[in-house]
Amino acid sequence: PHNRTADHRPHATGTSNIHKRQTGHVRQTCTSNLPGTVPICHTQKVMLLHFSKASGSAVCRLAQAAGCTTWASDGNCGRRQREYADGPWWIPVSHAQSVWERSRFAYPDAIARMGSGRSNCSERLARAPQFHAVESTLPGGVPCPGFFTLAMLRPPLERMVSHSFELARWGLVRPRKQGFCSNYSHMRRLAPAVYDNYYHRVLLGERVLGLPPGGITSAHITEAKRVLSSLQLVLLSNDASTPATLQRATGIANFTACRDTTRPAPCAMSDEDSERARRDNAHDLALYAYAERLAAQHVAKWGAGMG
């Protein structure tokens, strides 16, 4: 069981600490390399809106390496305990088959009623460490003032395929047989929030995350654009300009060296399923096109007059 007292302690990682991980046969180093630069987390608290499988984990590790304090005992810089509930919400609790799955990946079936139980923005600003991430859904669908807020996005269908592999990796795909995670219809039933306009659901809070498949409409696009544009920094995880912009804006460096860019093949969809996924996620595709334009503006802003 978690030590709840220990979980409340922010966790500090000095710049001398190096986070290493194994990717295939290549040893990668996740460390910040900014001599003489003070990361923004030392002067303003940072909130990362962590879209799953869009490099949020890499940004978390680099923030720790840059010396930002984060929650202790919680992976990916997100606090899972109920008062925050910032861990990944990938499956309805009714689809979970163990206490472990419910505690790590599931959201309540009556998710819309949960919003008032999560810490509000003023509580977060007072209690959160220097850097924390929200991977479930933006509390109340409103970015918190006082934080430096950022998000990274990835092409929706590419992110979806990667997420399929992640669900399979954690044993959430049943029956457990090779290639089953490439069955789009099955995966959509298993994790509807992940496969039905996921970006909208994470941006717009509890009342939208729990909508049934097909519940996201064109009316939500304007709202999602408004929320996305209110973040201080929006970047594309695959874009060549992202590492330099992230460094200039936040003092978090070495993004390219830390990020795992491998593309797992076992969960690739068929052409027919890919076409259906494009139709089902048309709103996310439109939102991503908007994010591309927004990211270009942020790249220009943070690059202006800076070498």
Side-chain angles (χ1 to χ4, degrees):
H2 288 294
N3 183 324
R4 294 182 63 82
T5 301
D7 283 345
H8 280 283
R9 299 195 313 267
H11 172 67
T13 305
T15 54
S16 61
N17 281 3
I18 296 176
H19 295 247
K20 293 182 178 179
R21 61 191 175 121
Q22 190 76 29
T23 303
H25 299 292
V26 179
R27 192 75 169 177
Q28 292 187 328
T29 299
C30 291
T31 183
S32 184
N33 182 24
L34 282 174
T37 300
V38 178
I40 193 172
C41 68
H42 292 183
T43 57
Q44 182 180 9
K45 290 187 176 183
V46 178
M47 177 188 287
L48 167 69
L49 185 55
H50 179 178
F51 295 113
S52 299
K53 308 312 299 176
S55 298
S57 298
V59 175
C60 167
R61 285 189 295 271
L62 290 171
Q64 291 171 335
C68 303
T69 59
T70 60
W71 291 120
S73 304
D74 281 310
N76 290 348
C77 299
R79 184 160 163 74
R80 296 177 186 272
Q81 277 66 22
R82 182 175 175 82
E83 67 268 31
Y84 284 86
D86 290 342
W89 279 353
W90 295 345
I91 58 174
V93 71
S94 56
H95 292 184
Q97 296 191 14
S98 69
V99 173
W100 181 79
E101 289 181 7
R102 288 195 295 273
S103 66
R104 294 189 65 85
F105 304 113
Y107 55 88
D109 291 313
I111 184 64
R113 296 200 298 268
M114 185 181 175
S116 59
R118 298 175 72 193
S119 293
N120 61 33
C121 288
S122 61
E123 292 169 339
R124 286 173 181 269
L125 193 59
R127 301 173 186 171
Q130 293 174 335
F131 184 103
H132 84 292
V134 176
E135 192 173 359
S136 51
T137 188
L138 194 61
V142 179
C144 287
F147 287 94
F148 183 92
T149 51
L150 72 149
M152 284 197 177
L153 291 86
R154 182 177 179 181
L157 299 190
E158 177 186 302
R159 193 211 64 79
M160 186 184 298
V161 169
S162 182
H163 209 149
S164 297
F165 181 80
E166 192 73 2
L167 290 167
R169 185 171 77 90
W170 289 106
L172 301 177
V173 181
R174 299 178 184 88
R176 292 187 174 97
K177 61 182 181 180
Q178 186 175 4
F180 207 63
C181 59
S182 64
N183 184 322
Y184 173 73
S185 296
H186 175 72
M187 298 300 287
R188 186 172 163 86
R189 288 191 298 270
L190 171 73
V194 171
Y195 295 88
D196 187 271
N197 296 291
Y198 170 80
Y199 285 139
H200 281 74
R201 294 173 185 272
V202 176
L203 280 166
L204 298 182
E206 301 83 0
R207 65 181 175 83
V208 172
L209 184 132
L211 289 175
I216 305 294
T217 69
S218 57
H220 292 107
I221 296 179
T222 299
E223 191 178 358
K225 288 179 177 179
R226 177 183 57 77
V227 174
L228 194 64
S229 65
S230 69
L231 303 180
Q232 273 86 2
L233 184 63
V234 174
L235 295 173
L236 308 178
S237 64
N238 291 355
D239 194 85
S241 61
T242 289
T245 306
L246 182 66
Q247 176 172 327
R248 288 166 176 160
T250 69
I252 296 173
N254 205 26
F255 176 70
T256 302
C258 178
R259 179 171 170 254
D260 180 4
T261 58
T262 58
R263 298 289 181 265
C267 298
M269 294 183 290
S270 67
D271 290 344
E272 181 180 355
D273 276 351
S274 294
E275 181 56 36
R276 184 183 169 197
R278 276 190 285 272
R279 293 196 303 269
D280 290 342
N281 292 272
H283 300 311
D284 255 13
L285 289 167
L287 182 64
Y288 185 78
Y290 175 78
E292 289 181 310
R293 297 192 295 273
L294 189 61
Q297 295 173 13
H298 288 190
V299 168
K301 170 187 174 181
W302 291 103
M306 304 179 72

